[in-house]
Amino acid sequence: MFILLLAALAAPAVGPGSIAEWVSVQTEDAKPTGTIVYSRTFELDFEPEQAWLKYTVYTSADFAGTTYRSFVNNIQGPGGTFWMDTQYTALPGVLHKGTNAVEIEVAWVKNGVPGPMLMRLYAKGRDEDGAEKTIDIRSDSSWTYRQGEHRPL
């Protein structure tokens, strides 16, 4: 029974889609200290009425000093330091019809590889004909990453 409950929680909650995947930096791309920015752009063909982002970055005890935070359309969202503290933010007025971008910045100060990222972004609205539309984006192999400069708070 417990296994069935876990499977139900892991399945997509809205419409067709896959389960979110951890997105990782390749070991050869990591530096002893620095910043990585995971990113993805996407198109919305409707104005969102509701939208939210949930994400975390895996950090272990030996990565003391690791921090992460989100940016949606260059607007900073919440961040954290421990992977079990999943970040959640509502995105009213942040997403818009057209091209949108989401970035997860991970900065670390000790030797090691930055932790992998897991996220889900959901938006709901109506098209010009009044039909309900949704988009459900999850972390997967379509995400890219780059070495980045840590943005000041």
Side-chain angles (χ1 to χ4, degrees):
M1 184 68 163
F2 181 69
I3 292 174
L4 291 174
L5 177 60
L6 286 175
L9 290 173
V14 179
S18 61
I19 296 172
E21 301 170 13
W22 288 97
V23 177
S24 298
V25 170
Q26 298 299 313
T27 304
E28 62 269 14
D29 293 336
K31 296 182 178 183
T33 62
T35 301
I36 288 288
V37 180
Y38 295 102
S39 62
R40 174 142 187 251
T41 59
F42 60 95
E43 296 290 323
L44 282 180
D45 62 354
F46 61 91
E47 284 295 336
E49 298 166 356
Q50 300 174 15
W52 50 262
L53 169 70
K54 288 183 184 179
Y55 80 102
T56 191
V57 173
Y58 180 77
T59 58
S60 61
D62 59 348
F63 285 173
T66 299
T67 61
Y68 56 88
R69 57 188 170 164
S70 64
F71 293 87
V72 178
N73 292 332
N74 291 316
I75 297 172
Q76 184 180 327
T81 59
F82 186 55
W83 74 274
M84 292 184 71
D85 298 331
T86 302
Q87 304 302 311
Y88 170 85
T89 187
L91 299 172
V94 177
L95 295 181
H96 53 79
K97 186 176 181 177
T99 303
N100 292 269
V102 60
E103 295 182 328
I104 308 296
E105 178 193 86
V106 186
W108 68 103
V109 295
K110 292 214 174 185
N111 291 341
V113 176
M117 178 271 302
L118 184 71
M119 68 76 61
R120 180 177 179 200
L121 185 144
Y122 176 80
K124 176 179 166 181
R126 298 193 177 276
D127 65 15
E128 293 83 20
D129 298 327
E132 188 173 282
K133 303 275 294 213
T134 62
I135 190 167
D136 193 353
I137 297 173
R138 298 158 193 260
S139 50
D140 62 19
S141 61
S142 68
W143 282 71
T144 61
Y145 65 85
R146 68 182 186 283
Q147 298 286 337
E149 291 294 321
H150 186 64
R151 301 181 198 191
L153 293 175

